[in-house]
Amino acid sequence: MSSPATTSKRAHSLALQKRAESCFPGGVNSPVRAFNSVGGKPPFVDHAEGAYLFDADGNRYIDYFGSWGPMILGHAFPPVVEAIQEAAAKSASFGASTAAESDLAELIKACYPQIEKLRFVSSGTEATMSAIRLARAATNRKRIIKFEGCYHGHADSLLVKAGSGIATLGIPGSAGVPEEIASLTLALPYNDIAAVEAAFKAHPGEIAAIILEPVVGNAGCILPMDGYLQGLRALATQHGALFIADEVMTGFRLAPGGACEYFQLDPDLITLGKIVGGGLPVGVFGGKVQFMDLLAPLGPVYQAGTLSGNPLAMAAGIATLSHLRNHADAIYPHLDATAGALFDGVAAEARKSGITLTVNRIGSMGTWFFSSGPITNYEEAAKSDTAAFGRFHRAMLDRGVWLPPSQFEAAFIGATHGETEVTATIEAARTSFATLV
Ligand code: KE4
């Protein structure tokens, strides 16, 4: 797949890949990193700074996946680095309560007034898994509604036609998930309010929760149609189900208060991750106190975690959210303007080469679909020309631009991306498209 020039340019990465394949299935610790859907072998990262990744062979890349969302302030952002270093000197973990947990929690609540109480965990998967358990306990119901193309981590009940990873692997659901568990999950088309109404009608009194990505990032970027989110909120209320907004990806990205601020949503529970940890492992689930106080040690719902509220992760999250909040008036407009120039500029170069792309973007996250579009749900996204996306990805990587290695992932802009990176990326796209036609 890779041209000889590419291979020689990445000899160390290729050797590291071979070594990793003797340690990890597919040589990776998360499937999408294996590049299976775009072809070629992945570069191995040595270090990163600002908007750039540097691989084991010394190649430099403009980074458009940012650790899949967390690195909104850029890599090795000095205040975050210093905060982690200071915390590490006091020991990496205590397994006991610290003031830092409340410091970060209060920052989160300042961004999300919808969150009355919360609990820290160590991943987005833990956050959504715990939120589902809480919703089932609060309603004494078993069924949940999720949406095709939305990915909420790899808990059994949510690996039912998930988007990220699973969609890339072309496996609806996953081996190893008992059908008894999967059958409790209704996987409906996104942006189709009638499907949700029909589900509630078909399962009266049985549905504990609706969970969704308010803006889908795991089928590529798909935006909610006008009124859709508010319609889901109303249906959940009408039928006594909880409305869970999975903001692991959109949280603190679309606005300081994420999609909830952007779309003025008032969910019962909200899950967060990625940016909230500044690149360290943090997940959050939180919401109305009437639900959160069902959690042990107060209530009957058990949930726990050895490294929940880890002091280094708290320090990184505090430094990240503090900077985002204190400089929001500059950061979010810059993110939006930079992303707009980037996505529109690349799409314009495609048109010059006779290639039709559909661009779905909101703020600093978006996707170039190799499709005539429109892309409003997973079924439409799945019709994209993934082979063409793979060729584009490889051509851009050879030109020093590292896009997310899947048509079904969102690309992210960070605060350190600017005119220089946009101009270089558009030029790389211009010569890449020329190789595709
Ligand atoms: P983690 O368990 O990976 O921390 O979070 C799961 C999760 C939950 N909810 C949403 C909306 C998410 O996007 C994710 C994880 N996102 C993927 C990227 N599409 C993580 C990348 C990967 O799986 O390697």
Side-chain angles (χ1 to χ4, degrees):
M1 287 289 201
S2 298
S3 65
T6 306
T7 305
S8 63
K9 228 168 66 170
R10 295 194 200 116
H12 285 102
S13 284
L14 285 172
L16 287 168
Q17 174 69 27
K18 195 167 180 55
R19 176 185 168 208
E21 286 171 2
S22 69
C23 298
F24 317 114
V28 293
N29 284 294
S30 200
V32 71
R33 302 177 191 174
F35 274 35
N36 284 5
S37 70
V38 293
K41 292 293 182 183
F44 273 56
V45 176
D46 176 72
H47 66 283
E49 187 175 353
Y52 294 91
L53 296 165
F54 298 83
D55 73 11
D57 294 276
N59 301 304
R60 188 185 79 161
Y61 307 86
I62 303 173
D63 177 8
Y64 284 113
F65 58 105
S67 182
W68 304 96
M71 310 318 284
I72 193 169
L73 294 177
H75 289 288
F77 182 61
V80 172
V81 173
E82 289 153 22
I84 295 169
Q85 287 171 333
E86 187 179 335
K90 300 177 182 177
S91 179
S93 181
F94 312 121
S97 296
T98 64
E101 294 159 86
S102 300
D103 293 339
L104 183 53
E106 288 166 1
L107 273 170
I108 294 166
K109 288 169 69 175
C111 294
Y112 280 88
Q114 305 89 349
I115 294 179
E116 297 171 346
K117 278 190 180 179
L118 60 93
R119 174 150 299 167
F120 287 116
V121 291
S122 298
S123 69
T125 293
E126 277 189 271
T128 58
M129 175 180 71
S130 306
I132 293 293
R133 183 178 309 137
L134 199 50
R136 284 173 161 157
T139 60
N140 194 26
R141 297 176 181 180
K142 295 179 180 178
R143 294 195 186 284
I144 60 172
I145 289 174
K146 76 174 292 290
F147 298 92
E148 289 178 286
C150 287
Y151 176 70
H152 303 290
H154 61 90
D156 279 354
S157 57
L158 291 166
L159 275 184
V160 177
K161 294 185 182 177
S164 164
I166 294 292
T168 303
L169 299 175
I171 304 169
S174 168
V177 173
E179 61 185 20
E180 293 86 348
I181 291 178
S183 66
L184 293 175
T185 300
L186 300 161
L188 305 179
Y190 183 78
N191 270 329
D192 179 347
I193 204 75
V196 181
E197 288 168 336
F200 276 113
K201 189 173 179 184
H203 303 282
E206 296 179 12
I207 296 172
I210 296 172
I211 184 169
L212 88 163
E213 297 179 61
V215 172
V216 182
N218 289 288
C221 185
I222 301 177
L223 278 59
M225 291 178 174
D226 288 349
Y228 176 65
L229 298 175
Q230 289 70 17
L232 292 178
R233 170 67 277 178
L235 280 173
T237 302
Q238 177 188 343
H239 294 279
L242 270 60
F243 183 39
I244 303 173
D246 178 1
E247 288 227 52
V248 166
M249 186 180 282
T250 53
F252 314 103
R253 176 162 290 279
L254 301 190
C260 287
E261 176 181 336
Y262 194 99
F263 295 105
Q264 291 301 295
L265 288 180
D266 187 16
D268 297 299
L269 296 175
I270 297 167
T271 54
L272 300 164
K274 297 181 190 279
I275 291 171
V276 74
L280 269 65
V282 177
V284 177
F285 65 106
K288 308 307 182 200
V289 66
Q290 72 188 86
F291 304 124
M292 293 305 293
D293 278 358
L294 291 170
L295 282 171
L298 284 186
V301 181
Y302 193 72
Q303 180 279 330
T306 301
L307 297 177
S308 297
N310 172 271
L312 275 60
M314 297 295 102
I318 290 164
T320 300
L321 295 198
S322 298
H323 190 84
L324 281 172
R325 289 192 72 228
N326 296 339
H327 303 278
D329 292 347
I331 289 175
Y332 290 94
H334 170 77
L335 290 171
D336 188 49
T338 305
L342 174 81
F343 278 91
D344 294 349
V346 168
E349 291 305 327
R351 281 194 297 276
K352 291 175 190 171
S353 292
I355 295 170
T356 302
L357 300 181
T358 294
V359 177
N360 282 1
R361 176 185 75 86
I362 179 169
S364 59
M365 63 185 276
T367 300
W368 296 280
F369 288 99
F370 279 70
S371 165
S372 53
I375 308 281
T376 65
N377 59 37
Y378 176 64
E379 186 182 2
E380 291 166 351
K383 292 172 184 167
S384 301
D385 185 343
T386 52
F389 180 85
R391 291 192 296 274
F392 179 58
H393 185 278
R394 294 195 300 277
M396 292 290 270
L397 194 69
D398 288 348
R399 289 164 175 78
V401 177
W402 193 334
L403 299 174
S406 164
Q407 172 70 96
F408 305 112
E409 293 289 354
F412 301 104
I413 305 292
T416 53
H417 288 81
E419 190 175 340
T420 302
E421 289 70 36
V422 170
T423 302
T425 304
I426 291 170
E427 174 56 17
R430 183 183 67 79
T431 59
S432 294
F433 287 128
T435 69
L436 302 188
V437 292

